Amino acid sequence: MTSSIEKDVQVDSVPNRSEDEGQVEYFVDPEEEKKVVRKIDLYVMPALVIVFFFQFLDKQTINYAAVFGMQTDLHLSGSGFSWAITLYYFGQLASQYPSAYFISRFKVVRIVGITIAAWGACEMLIASTQNFGGLGTVRFFLGWFEGAASPGFVIITSNWYRRREHPARVAWWESCSGLSQIIGAVLMYLIGQANHLAIASWRVMYLVCGGATMLIGVCFAIFMPTDTTTAWFLKPDERRIATERLALDRSTRDRSSFNLEQVKEALMDPQTFLLFLEGLFICIPSAILKFSSLVISGFGFNKFQTMLVGLPAGAIQIITIWVAALGMQYTRDLRCFWGMVLSLAPLAGSICLLTLPASDKWGIVVATWFAACSSSLMVVSLSLAASNVKGNTKKSTVSAIFFVAYCTGCIISPQLWQAPDAPRYVKGCISSIVSWALLIITYAAHYLVLWRENVRRDRLQLENQLRENAEGVDIPEKEAHVGVSIDSDMTDRQDMKFRYTL
């Protein structure tokens, strides 16, 4: 049955279909579009930012708990802490296939809201654990429920925004990685100062963060509209504009169907392989985010000093994220270039962390700040995925594959940062340096693959236009306004008028 909101969109939208199957002419007034985008920014972006903030805050908690007695209280000896981190990503890896299926089969907003609420519940359960077995089990299921969140956010962003808008919008919610580092450290510092708590301060931190995340997840699932056609904060005509402007970008809306052919196309697409490598190389060095507090404390800082001197790391994350976002927004087809440039910051930090003398404590601290600033690279790769992959099932499949690589990198990473190697963690530093160098090469390859495909499509389009002119076929005067029907489910490979963002 068609909802009343969908009826409004269908009645108000009367596109002129071209002779090409699936091609539709849309006319969206730029001033009206700006007003609609402002409304979407006002209602959709805060919801995404708040949810992602609490998710990142939860992820950071184990970093702070490590220096506030968790390892002693739970009897984590040897590699116990490293395995506690790794088990989280085993859970996330195991959930990628079912997450991809459910995201493509049901409304992505509902799936994300439910899993975020379940994530918060697991976070609270960590406060009750008494040994490695309990901690490892809960962290596995914590990773399982996180599996749908990040791929879901990529899809939600592409369901509301045009491709040129993706970098800045991805940056808004990805900035929460840095913001959570700052607020999380301050919160742990304040909780740690309390002297008369009935339970350990790190357990209180988990209860506070997990409870807030659970509440936010429930609210997101209930109040967040599924797409532009069900946006309760837009008037019927605004919903039409919000929907048609995506069609101008040759985008299609969220569908509740699973297409096996699109899965096959995703697996055969070289872009999928390149995104996989990017996810892997970004995340192999990721353990520094979880071990930075241990690294800093290992060079003579007490637990309260460790919380404070780690604060600038969050600020650097935010700055580099916005350098990436604004750089991609105000330069044309240079997203891969920005990825290469921004890889230099964590590469330099990792080299300094490996080579600076142990007596240079503040040099080591600054090195950890830069070695951990990888979120800007997630913005680059996620914006490439959001802008360049079309087709409901293909989009969810490629997102899942990217996060399989993400999980794989995060599984490998903690095993390279073992307690016997503290505080220098030589193996972890060397692996990070190699990963950043390989990431730069991968971005260059990604650019070349997409550039060659765009050139090929331009050549084919020119040949078709010359043939049509020779045959006396009229070329539409308003070709710039031609999009693909928002109800179609064409992939980027099927839609030959689609051009990839580089």
Side-chain angles (χ1 to χ4, degrees):
M1 181 179 294
T2 305
S3 69
S4 60
I5 294 176
E6 288 173 331
K7 285 180 180 178
D8 288 333
V9 173
Q10 292 167 356
V11 170
D12 291 341
S13 176
V14 188
N16 300 315
R17 293 189 178 276
S18 71
E19 293 181 359
D20 296 331
E21 183 179 356
Q23 303 301 309
V24 181
E25 290 185 14
Y26 292 102
F27 306 96
V28 177
D29 181 81
E31 292 303 317
E32 293 297 322
E33 182 182 12
K34 287 180 183 178
K35 293 178 183 178
V36 170
V37 173
R38 281 196 291 269
K39 273 197 172 182
I40 293 173
D41 285 339
L42 183 62
Y43 288 91
V44 173
M45 285 311 301
L48 297 180
V49 166
I50 290 170
V51 170
F52 222 70
F53 167 77
F54 280 101
Q55 183 195 16
F56 264 107
L57 183 61
D58 291 350
K59 283 185 177 181
Q60 289 293 331
T61 302
I62 195 167
N63 185 26
Y64 311 133
V67 295
F68 273 82
M70 170 187 264
Q71 295 187 84
T72 302
D73 293 348
L74 301 186
H75 314 292
L76 301 180
S77 58
S79 60
F81 184 72
S82 297
W83 274 106
I85 294 174
T86 296
L87 284 168
Y88 170 93
Y89 294 103
F90 272 118
Q92 190 173 353
L93 179 62
S95 73
Q96 288 306 307
Y97 175 78
S99 294
Y101 174 79
F102 283 115
I103 285 175
S104 64
R105 185 67 182 83
F106 302 100
K107 294 298 184 182
V108 62
V109 167
R110 305 294 175 245
I111 296 297
V112 169
I114 291 169
T115 55
I116 289 294
W119 157 291
C122 286
E123 193 77 9
M124 295 179 73
L125 284 175
I126 291 180
S128 67
T129 57
Q130 301 298 323
N131 51 44
F132 171 78
L135 177 65
T137 300
V138 177
R139 280 191 59 80
F140 177 87
F141 284 103
L142 192 67
W144 173 274
F145 287 117
E146 204 273 344
S150 294
F153 268 64
V154 175
I155 295 171
I156 291 170
T157 301
S158 65
N159 285 344
W160 288 93
Y161 293 100
R162 297 181 67 171
R163 288 192 290 164
R164 65 170 182 252
E165 300 160 352
H166 289 168
R169 273 62 186 191
V170 172
W172 273 112
W173 46 264
E174 192 67 36
S175 295
C176 294
S177 60
L179 185 63
S180 68
Q181 283 182 260
I182 297 171
I183 294 180
V186 172
L187 187 59
M188 188 72 251
Y189 181 89
L190 294 174
I191 293 174
Q193 294 279 8
N195 296 321
H196 304 291
L197 295 174
I199 57 176
S201 57
W202 66 266
R203 296 184 190 271
V204 174
M205 182 74 171
Y206 273 110
L207 289 173
V208 171
C209 295
T213 302
M214 190 174 179
L215 176 61
I216 292 298
V218 171
C219 292
F220 188 83
I222 294 173
F223 298 111
M224 179 71 177
T226 57
D227 56 36
T228 56
T229 64
T230 61
W232 49 265
F233 55 86
L234 297 177
K235 298 175 183 177
D237 193 55
E238 291 173 332
R239 288 195 290 271
R240 175 187 63 79
I241 293 171
T243 302
E244 290 188 356
R245 73 188 208 93
L246 296 178
L248 287 174
D249 238 13
R250 311 193 75 80
S251 301
T252 53
R253 64 181 172 185
D254 192 18
R255 301 165 68 92
S256 298
S257 60
F258 187 82
N259 188 322
L260 186 58
E261 290 302 314
Q262 291 192 13
V263 174
K264 295 177 181 177
E265 181 179 316
L267 295 175
M268 299 298 293
D269 192 335
Q271 184 180 195
T272 305
F273 175 68
L274 291 167
L275 285 168
F276 177 91
L277 290 180
E278 287 166 23
L280 184 67
F281 295 141
I282 290 170
C283 293
I284 285 178
S286 65
I288 187 62
L289 290 168
K290 307 295 186 301
F291 283 80
S292 59
S293 293
L294 290 176
V295 172
I296 293 170
S297 64
F299 282 91
F301 295 91
N302 66 39
K303 59 185 180 182
F304 294 107
Q305 290 172 332
T306 298
M307 293 298 99
L308 295 179
V309 300
L311 290 177
I316 291 173
Q317 288 274 28
I318 295 172
I319 291 169
T320 54
I321 285 170
W322 281 102
V323 168
L326 296 177
M328 290 187 290
Q329 182 166 329
Y330 291 105
T331 56
R332 180 177 174 81
D333 284 341
L334 289 177
R335 296 190 189 184
C336 293
F337 167 79
W338 284 107
M340 289 186 278
V341 170
L342 290 164
S343 298
L344 297 176
L347 174 61
S350 299
I351 292 173
C352 291
L353 195 58
L354 179 65
T355 59
L356 285 175
S359 58
D360 188 1
K361 294 198 299 183
W362 279 104
I364 296 291
V365 168
V366 174
T368 64
W369 295 347
F370 283 94
C373 64
S374 59
S375 293
S376 60
L377 300 165
M378 289 294 288
V379 171
V380 173
S381 291
L382 290 177
S383 68
L384 284 168
S387 297
N388 290 330
V389 181
K390 282 187 60 182
N392 183 61
T393 303
K394 182 178 181 181
K395 193 181 297 183
S396 62
T397 302
V398 172
S399 293
I401 290 172
F402 178 86
F403 284 100
V404 165
Y406 172 94
C407 296
T408 303
C410 291
I411 287 170
I412 295 170
S413 184
Q415 302 311 310
L416 299 169
W417 295 70
Q418 296 283 352
D421 297 329
R424 180 67 72 174
Y425 297 100
V426 173
K427 288 185 291 187
C429 292
I430 292 174
S431 65
S432 295
I433 293 168
V434 173
S435 293
W436 296 128
L438 291 175
L439 180 64
I440 292 171
I441 296 171
T442 304
Y443 276 129
H446 200 158
Y447 179 90
L448 289 174
V449 167
L450 297 182
W451 175 79
R452 287 184 62 185
E453 180 60 20
N454 281 349
V455 169
R456 186 182 76 86
R457 293 186 179 202
D458 287 342
R459 185 176 65 250
L460 289 175
Q461 184 176 5
L462 179 60
E463 291 172 356
N464 289 336
Q465 288 176 344
L466 292 173
R467 185 171 59 252
E468 289 173 349
N469 285 334
E471 295 172 355
V473 177
D474 291 333
I475 305 297
E477 295 181 359
K478 296 179 178 178
E479 183 69 26
H481 294 289
V482 175
V484 65
S485 171
I486 201 71
D487 290 314
S488 75
D489 195 27
M490 296 175 69
T491 67
D492 54 281
R493 289 284 162 178
Q494 294 168 340
D495 183 3
M496 293 303 293
K497 292 186 177 180
F498 181 84
R499 293 297 181 270
Y500 293 99
T501 301
L502 309 181

